[in-house]
């Protein structure tokens, strides 16, 4: 998974030209990744007394897809790994798959339901259910955001807020979406919604 330490960490072994192991310590081996990816963790490791360089905590970051690792050291032939299939990482951010409407009427359910998409730190969409997304009012004096304000993501990693409405004086409001207090998901603030008067209700 993107940004998560590889489940099996590479161990690179020095060999001679005919494939025999070479027990030579102190040779610096550097890990690299194919185009489009980056590596996190300790990317350069010295060989031990057995001529092996065991990497620890190495993580691959990038868009979901196939990558290869290569291992280099000056004067030595480059070693190349098998293909590594990278999946999406951990929940880190939100995007709006369906935006908050630009206009609404006070007290009336939004004409389109905002839909939030869960993504990892590099923007890969996460098909992860059960992550609670919380809606709140970010700005708008005297107004209230009403409806179901906590919605879990579905199997596609989306949270649909189907019955939100703004109630208050006419003007400009913005909504905020975030994970629950226990999560590390970045907060998203939507573009402003202009609130107009609701349906006629009384005489003065």
């Amino acid at each position: 998974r993107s940004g998560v330490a590889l489940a099996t960490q590479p161990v690179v072994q020095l060999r001679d030209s005919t494939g025999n192991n070479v027990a030579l310590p102190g040779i610096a081996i550097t890990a690299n990744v194919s185009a489009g990816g980056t590596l996190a963790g300790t990317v350069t490791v010295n060989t031990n007394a057995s001529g092996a360089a065991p990497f620890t905590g190495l993580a691959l970051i990038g868009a979901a897809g196939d990558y290869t690792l290569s291992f280099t050291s000056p004067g030595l032939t480059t070693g190349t790994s098998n293909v590594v299939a990278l999946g999406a990482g951990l929940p880190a951010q939100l995007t709006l798959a369906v935006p908050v409407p630009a206009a609404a009427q006070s007290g009336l359910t939004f004409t389109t339901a905002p839909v939030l998409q869960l993504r990892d730190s590099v923007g890969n969409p996460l098909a992860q259910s059960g992550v609670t997304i919380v809606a709140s009012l970010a700005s708008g004096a005297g107004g209230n955001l009403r409806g179901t304000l906590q919605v879990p993501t579905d199997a596609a990693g989306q949270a649909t807020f189907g019955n939100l409405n703004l109630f208050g004086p006419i003007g400009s409001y913005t909504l905020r979406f975030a994970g629950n207090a226990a999560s590390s998901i970045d907060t998203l603030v939507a573009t402003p919604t202009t609130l107009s008067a609701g349906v006629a209700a009384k005489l003065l």
Side-chain angles (χ1 to χ4, degrees):
R1 301 176 70 178
S2 179
V4 178
L6 298 173
T8 302
Q9 292 288 314
V11 179
V12 179
Q13 175 65 52
L14 291 177
R15 296 182 186 274
D16 65 16
S17 58
T18 58
N20 298 305
N21 288 353
V22 176
L24 182 63
I27 303 298
I29 309 297
T30 299
N32 312 273
V33 65
S34 53
T38 58
L39 289 174
T42 303
V43 297
T44 299
V45 174
N46 289 335
T47 56
N48 57 25
S50 300
F55 286 81
T56 58
L58 203 62
L60 177 56
I61 302 170
D66 292 339
Y67 296 84
T68 55
L69 302 182
S70 60
F71 300 91
T72 59
S73 186
L76 300 178
T77 300
T78 298
T80 303
S81 73
N82 296 325
V83 172
V84 178
L86 185 66
L90 299 175
Q93 58 179 311
L94 298 166
T95 57
L96 278 160
V98 177
V100 176
Q105 285 184 269
S106 180
L108 298 185
T109 301
F110 289 163
T111 54
T112 56
V115 179
L116 280 295
Q117 174 64 57
L118 192 62
R119 296 182 182 272
D120 68 11
S121 62
V122 296
N124 293 309
L126 288 174
Q128 182 173 337
S129 63
V131 178
T132 300
I133 308 302
V134 181
S136 61
L137 195 60
S139 69
N144 293 292
L145 180 63
R146 307 191 305 188
T148 303
L149 303 183
Q150 297 190 36
V151 176
T153 55
D154 60 19
Q158 295 188 337
T160 300
F161 288 82
N163 63 351
L164 293 183
N165 72 86
L166 285 165
F167 182 77
I170 63 174
S172 181
Y173 294 80
T174 55
L175 271 58
R176 177 192 299 112
F177 298 93
N180 60 27
S183 77
S184 57
I185 299 170
D186 292 340
T187 297
L188 181 150
V189 177
T191 55
T193 297
T194 300
L195 189 65
S196 62
V199 297
K202 62 182 179 178
L203 297 173
L204 288 178

